Amino acid sequence: MFKVKKPCNNCPFLKNSPMKLHKDRLPEIVEHLDDDGFFPCHKTIDYKEQMNEETGQVTEDLEKNQFCAGAITYLEKHNRPNTPLQVFQRIGRYDPEDYLKHKDKVIDSLEERSIW
Ligand code: SF4
């Protein structure tokens, strides 16, 4: 779940990210994270295997799917790791320092990316 340790170049949480999202999408992702949600890195999702064709929902696979490094960096930068991050840190499977070294590249507030 924590193998991706660096936000990729088009991470939506990066300052000056080239990624275009609907203006409501990033706040929705952050709300999900703040509700103790997991935000899987889309590069690690097997859409053939994990996508329910009827609902369009992706089933999470915590072994295969990695937590988006940009999302983690954003949470840690703002000093509000969600419960899963806190639990995995406690059991020694997650180290916020791996992500905090990228914090200067990550947005300071959602307003920075509100006009897309
Ligand atoms: S979801 Fe994956 S590819 Fe996309 S920004 Fe996050 S780590 Fe990078």
Side-chain angles (χ1 to χ4, degrees), residues 53-68:
E53 284 178 17
E54 278 172 30
T55 63
Q57 296 285 341
V58 171
T59 309
E60 288 170 2
D61 181 331
L62 297 184
E63 290 302 317
K64 281 191 201 152
N65 302 152
Q66 302 302 311
F67 209 129
C68 168

Side-chain angles (χ1 to χ4, degrees), residues 4 6-8 10-12 39-43 68-70:
V4 179
K6 184 179 169 198
C8 58
N10 62 351
C11 172
F39 183 53
C41 168
H42 65 273
K43 288 182 183 170
C68 168

Side-chain angles (χ1 to χ4, degrees), residues 32-51:
H32 175 65
L33 291 165
D34 284 338
D35 283 344
D36 294 332
F38 169 59
F39 183 53
C41 168
H42 65 273
K43 288 182 183 170
T44 66
I45 295 172
D46 181 340
Y47 286 95
K48 232 179 182 177
E49 292 263 313
Q50 294 177 242
M51 171 92 89

Side-chain angles (χ1 to χ4, degrees), residues 4 12 19 21 36 45 50 64 70 72 83 90-92 103 111-112:
V4 179
M19 167 79 76
L21 290 178
D36 294 332
I45 295 172
Q50 294 177 242
K64 281 191 201 152
I72 293 178
T83 304
R90 253 181 256 131
I91 62 174
K103 71 177 184 198
E111 286 70 41
E112 280 177 58

Side-chain angles (χ1 to χ4, degrees), residues 9-20 113 116:
N9 291 340
N10 62 351
C11 172
F13 287 95
L14 288 183
K15 295 172 180 171
N16 305 318
S17 171
M19 167 79 76
K20 302 279 181 230
R113 306 232 39 222
W116 295 347

